[in-house]
């Protein structure tokens, strides 16, 4: 049986508190700035778990167009502009 490969070590980034999406965006930018400060230049995979809530902090359940609960979605990569695609 082949040896089990060791799981790569990661960095846990905690974003505490009830926040608006605008505040979350700012906190995520701050987290990336801190990674830059640590000379981290690339990321191999990342997971973000959150609990959607209303303004009072009560959990809410986002639904798709067919009224099914949305429990996950994947962003494959950043938007690439035409200039990026053509090396401009």
């Amino acid at each position: 049986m082949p040896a089990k490969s060791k799981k790569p070590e990661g960095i846990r980034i905690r974003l505490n508190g009830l926040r608006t999406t605008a505040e979350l965006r700012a906190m995520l930018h701050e987290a990336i700035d801190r990674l830059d400060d640590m000379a981290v230049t690339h990321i191999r995979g990342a997971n973000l778990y959150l609990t959607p809530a209303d303004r009072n902090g009560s959990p809410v359940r986002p639904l798709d167009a067919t009224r099914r609960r949305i429990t996950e979605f994947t962003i494959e990569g950043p938007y690439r502009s035409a200039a990026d695609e053509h090396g401009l």
Side-chain angles (χ1 to χ4, degrees):
M1 183 177 255
K4 199 173 191 179
S5 61
K6 185 179 175 188
K7 184 176 179 181
E9 292 187 27
I11 297 174
R12 181 178 182 178
I13 299 170
R14 298 177 75 173
L15 308 174
N16 291 332
L18 176 62
R19 304 288 178 220
T20 65
T21 54
E23 291 168 332
L24 174 62
R25 184 176 295 108
M27 293 170 80
L28 289 169
H29 281 281
E30 182 179 338
I32 301 304
D33 288 344
R34 288 198 190 179
L35 291 171
D36 286 339
D37 292 345
M38 291 181 249
V40 174
T41 60
H42 291 76
I43 305 297
R44 191 180 83 188
N47 297 298
L48 175 64
Y49 295 87
L50 53 88
T51 303
D54 64 17
R55 69 178 64 190
N56 298 315
S58 298
V60 297
R61 293 183 168 170
L63 305 175
D64 67 13
T66 64
R67 311 272 308 145
R68 281 189 279 191
R69 184 173 172 213
I70 298 170
T71 59
E72 70 177 68
F73 59 90
T74 301
I75 307 293
E76 292 296 337
Y79 171 79
R80 293 183 51 93
S81 68
D84 291 334
E85 294 292 327
H86 297 288
L88 302 174

